[in-house]
Each structure stands twice: as structure tokens, then as C-alpha cells.
Amino acid sequence: MDKFLSKKAREIQPYIAGIQPKGDGWIKLNTNENPYPPKLKLNDNLSEILDNLRLYPDSDANALRDKIADDLNAKNGTNLTRENVFVGNGSDEVLAIIFQTFFSGKTLCVPDVSYSFYPVWAQMYDVTPKVIATKNWGINWGDYSGNCIIANPNAPTSLAIDIERIPQGGVVVIDEAYIDFAEAESAVRLIGDNDNLLVVRTFSKSYSLAGLRVGYAIGDSALIEGLNRIKNSFNSYPVDALAQKIAMLAEPNVDEVIATREWLKTKIDCLDSQANFVWWNVENAEEMYEYLLKNKILVRYWKQFPNNLRVTIGTQNDMEEFVKCIEKLTRPK
Ligand code: PMP
């Protein structure tokens, strides 16, 4: 089989996504999905869109980009237009295009503990990572310079930092997949003063739309133009017509998740999460993972973190079941 593969396909170490279990009865706390259905006000436009599926979608997703810019302006007091917004098939695709557009063949500062897709794109697009150590799981923003990428809040640590200053001399990417669950402020307000800043967001978590696959980047129009060059050399229509429409109709959905997270923090030993998951300190992560799995509770375990598990915030009921299950282990018989 190998003989047909390109060198890249042979050598790449692909990202491993969390399991999507088959069958009923699972409490699924492993992929940071929102446990509540999307808040969508569907109107009768939908049948019009279905009729129009025979046509290709708007390759520039202009209406969606206008809506994203307007919503961000209302929230952050910014002056963004569609020229500052780039949309893609989930923020994973947006991030992959960012790596190709700005980092290919260059050096990139990245935290030692971070989203595990970053090293895969680095390998994919011949980027040399400059790994910056976290301290007590936290990012020391002062250590970053030139091209950089961080997630804020970070994954899988769940911790957020306040960003006031953007390093100069390279492109700085702040991945805000989880920012709507955080108290920390978005870096979107810094875009006007920093033409080297890209903020990346997604509809997957706070809008309960992981299945729709819509993510976006916000930044100076020259950076967005660069992203369009690569996108239009790869796939002109990454966001389908239904996805463009549905993303425009959805609203954020974070309050219950945040309330349950704050409750869970009082029940287990975890970091001070500002995301829709917690980074749980456990004595033996592998054993705990297996025990929970037997009880049909799925969390995320990585071999390189033997004393931590990442637990997505489910419904209040899910998390009460989760706490009951782990208390069974510790309660005297
Ligand atoms: N960034 C971070 C930090 C994430 O955890 C995820 C979800 N795995 C993503 C980006 C990608 O999300 P999506 O492609 O669903 O927008």
C-alpha cells in the first residue's frame, strides 16, 4: 500500500479525533460539544434555500460574513466589515489555511500544551515549531514573539489569559474556539491596532453547531485577502449554502453550560476552567478513563498526560451522573 503514497502521506502523523460512540446510553464528555441543541429561529427561507441547492453557494459567503462582522461590532465596539472576515468549513479548515498562508516554511511559537492539531498542521505545511513551555499549565504571553499561535482559553487546560499586547514581527493567531464561555475578553478589540493579528472562532461550541462545520477568522483585510488566495486555490466552496444560512440564524448558547461548569468545579479537583470543559487532576488517568468507559461515560485521555483527563461539560444531569460514578470509587464500601 505504502508504495502509492506520497512522502507526505507516508510521514504525516494525523490528528486523532475523539470517539463518536455507537448505540444509546452514553454520557459523551469527550469532544467539547455543546450538550444542548442549537438555538435556531428557522424561518420559511429554508425551502427557498433547498430549491436553490441546485446552484453553487456564494463562494465568498458575503451575507454570513456581514452578519459575523455586525455581531462582533455590537459586542466589541469594533468597526469590522466583511473584508475583515474569512469563513471556512469549521475552524479546523480555517486554521489549516492560516498555516499554509502565513507559516509554511517558517518558525512558529506554540505552547507545549495546546490544541493537538497544531503540530499536525506544522508537519503538514513544513512549519518549524518553537515550543514555549507553559508554567503550572498557564501560558506566559511575554515569552512569545514573531509568528505565534495560542488558543485562549487554551485546550486542553481550560485556562484563559488576558491579552492586552500583540507581539510584532509576525502573524499572531489567537484561537478563540471557547472564548464565549470565558470571562477573559476577546482579542477582537485589538484588531484595529494590529494588522498582524488573526482571531479564529467557531460555531461548533458556543452555538451548538459542531455538525454544521462553520468557523471563521477575523483580521486586517490584507491578511484575509491572503487567506482567500489559498482557499481559492484549494476549494472555492468550502461552506455550503445550508451551512451559510443556518449559521446566520443561530444564537449563542452558553449560560447553562457555564452554570454547570461552576457547579462541577466545586465537586472535583480541576483547574479554574473558562471553557466548556475542565482539566481534571486524577491519580491515574488511564485507569479512571477505563473505569468511566465501562460505565458508559466517555472523557478524553492522552497518554502524555498520565494525571489528567479532559471532561466536557454535559447537561447538569450528565454531570451529576458523572460525579456519582466517580464517588462510587472513593466511597467506603
Ligand atoms: N480550536 C480548538 C482549540 C479546538 O479545541 C477545536 C475543536 N476540536 C477547534 C479549534 C476546531 O473546531 P471546529 O473545526 O469544529 O470549528
Side-chain angles (χ1 to χ4, degrees), residues 5 72 79 123:
L5 296 183
L72 290 170
N79 240 329
Q123 204 193 347

Side-chain angles (χ1 to χ4, degrees), residues 15 90-92 95 115 118 151 155 175 177-178 202 204-205 213:
Y15 174 73
S91 59
D92 277 343
L95 288 161
Y115 183 28
Y118 300 155
D175 178 351
Y178 302 103
T202 178
S204 295
K205 322 287 179 180
R213 311 306 302 129

Side-chain angles (χ1 to χ4, degrees), residues 245-280:
K245 191 71 203 180
I246 292 174
M248 286 180 67
L249 298 174
E251 285 172 19
N253 200 8
V254 297
D255 295 347
E256 285 159 291
V257 169
I258 291 172
T260 299
R261 175 190 74 199
E262 294 306 308
W263 172 84
L264 184 68
K265 281 186 198 172
T266 67
K267 297 287 174 190
I268 64 173
D269 175 18
C270 63
L271 303 193
D272 186 16
S273 169
Q274 294 212 27
N276 69 337
F277 56 89
V278 295
W279 192 228
W280 182 26

